[in-house]
Amino acid sequence: MSEIMDAYWQAPAMARTFTTAIVVTSIGCYMGLLPFGWFYFAPYTLLRIPPGIWRPFTAFFLSTPKLGIILDPYFVYQYMTQLEVASTRFPRKEDLLWYLLTVGTMIIGLNVYFTGEVFFLQGLILALCYTAMQDQRGQKAGFYFFTVPAQLVPFCMIGATLLMNPAGVPLQITGLVAAHMYDFLTRIYPEFGGGPNLLPTPAFLSRLITTPRVLQRDFGTAFRARAPNEPAAGRTTGTAGSVLPDSWRSRGSGYRLGGD
């Protein structure tokens, strides 16, 4: 049991937390322990007293029934881990959090306007898959029992849904559209259009997620890397890269004793 818990806590923090929320919510709802009415989102729920301000988040916590209780958390963990650990698009946790917030907001807006869905996890899974596969373009990726080009995996997911549950395809398409919009505004337009990143990560998220400079651990002390503009601690004299005080460095080039 301790080994399982160790493996759980060693998993990437954001992927672990999101997957756990999906598993707990889905099992609780489908077993009748939790009411579905606590988690869905519709615009009118924000006008209630008290307003359901938690619903735009919890509407992403419910998986599809039966086999979906296993597959949906698996896909979320798989793609979230790729983005959190291996993607150059999200070097900081706040970048990935901003991605989830912006793409999730787009998915909600598209579904409120076009589909009328009140739970959105399937759309977010498709968005995560699309974004993760952009880093693997030109490589091969596995989809169930098949090997396909990585960039085609999201479309394979839509095709599988079309065969098993056609009603879920519009929700997945909203996730595809939202992920592509994010990719266009943050990567394609800046790189190929010469414009700025239109969805930069706001500074307040960095302040919320900033980790301590020194982390005490059971097996030693870890130091967080300094930001590029962060001064080094403990340096009071001299300039970067030198052990001499400024007063000594300002005396000129100097001469060797006994020289000409």
Side-chain angles (χ1 to χ4, degrees):
M1 185 64 181
S2 61
E3 295 180 355
I4 296 177
M5 293 306 300
D6 289 343
Y8 175 81
W9 289 112
Q10 289 173 6
M14 296 182 68
R16 178 187 70 223
T17 303
F18 193 12
T19 304
T20 301
I22 294 170
V23 171
V24 171
T25 302
S26 301
I27 292 177
C29 286
Y30 290 122
M31 292 186 64
L33 303 176
L34 298 172
F36 289 90
W38 287 0
F39 301 99
Y40 76 91
F41 172 79
Y44 68 84
T45 59
L46 298 177
L47 304 178
R48 293 176 174 175
I49 299 176
I53 57 176
W54 66 89
R55 294 177 182 273
F57 304 96
T58 58
F60 289 94
F61 291 170
L62 188 71
S63 71
T64 52
K66 299 179 181 179
L67 192 58
I69 298 178
I70 298 175
L71 292 180
D72 290 350
Y74 168 77
F75 285 132
V76 167
Y77 182 80
Q78 177 184 9
Y79 297 129
M80 279 277 294
T81 298
Q82 291 182 32
L83 296 178
E84 186 174 354
V85 175
S87 177
T88 57
R89 297 282 305 279
F90 308 105
R92 305 173 301 171
K93 291 188 182 300
E94 55 263 40
D95 297 325
L96 181 56
L97 178 60
W98 180 240
Y99 165 84
L100 294 173
L101 291 173
T102 53
V103 170
T105 300
M106 294 178 191
I107 291 173
I108 291 175
L110 290 169
N111 280 279
V112 167
Y113 191 80
F114 290 107
T115 71
E117 294 283 351
V118 295
F119 291 105
F120 313 115
L121 179 59
Q122 298 304 307
L124 184 60
I125 290 175
L126 206 290
L128 291 170
C129 176
Y130 177 89
T131 304
M133 291 301 106
Q134 294 306 302
D135 292 335
Q136 303 179 29
R137 295 184 68 89
Q139 303 179 29
K140 297 293 185 179
F143 181 74
Y144 290 109
F145 306 106
F146 305 97
T147 300
V148 298
Q151 63 270 23
L152 296 182
V153 172
F155 302 97
C156 292
M157 295 182 70
I158 294 176
T161 302
L162 184 63
L163 295 175
M164 296 183 291
N165 179 28
V169 171
L171 176 57
Q172 287 187 320
I173 291 177
T174 63
L176 181 66
V177 172
H180 182 71
M181 290 174 61
Y182 179 89
D183 194 44
F184 176 81
L185 295 174
T186 60
R187 184 183 67 86
I188 296 176
Y189 179 63
E191 288 186 5
F192 300 100
N197 179 355
L198 299 178
L199 287 175
T201 303
F204 76 88
L205 283 182
S206 298
R207 290 193 293 270
L208 289 176
I209 303 180
T210 298
T211 54
R213 178 70 180 90
V214 179
L215 303 177
Q216 296 295 334
R217 296 177 175 175
D218 293 338
F219 49 87
T221 301
F223 292 86
R224 177 176 61 85
R226 293 193 304 271
N229 297 325
E230 183 180 348
R235 178 175 288 142
T236 58
T237 61
T239 59
S242 173
V243 297
L244 297 177
D246 288 338
S247 60
W248 289 23
R249 292 175 56 83
S250 62
R251 299 301 183 184
S253 58
Y255 297 92
R256 180 166 56 89
L257 292 178
D260 294 333

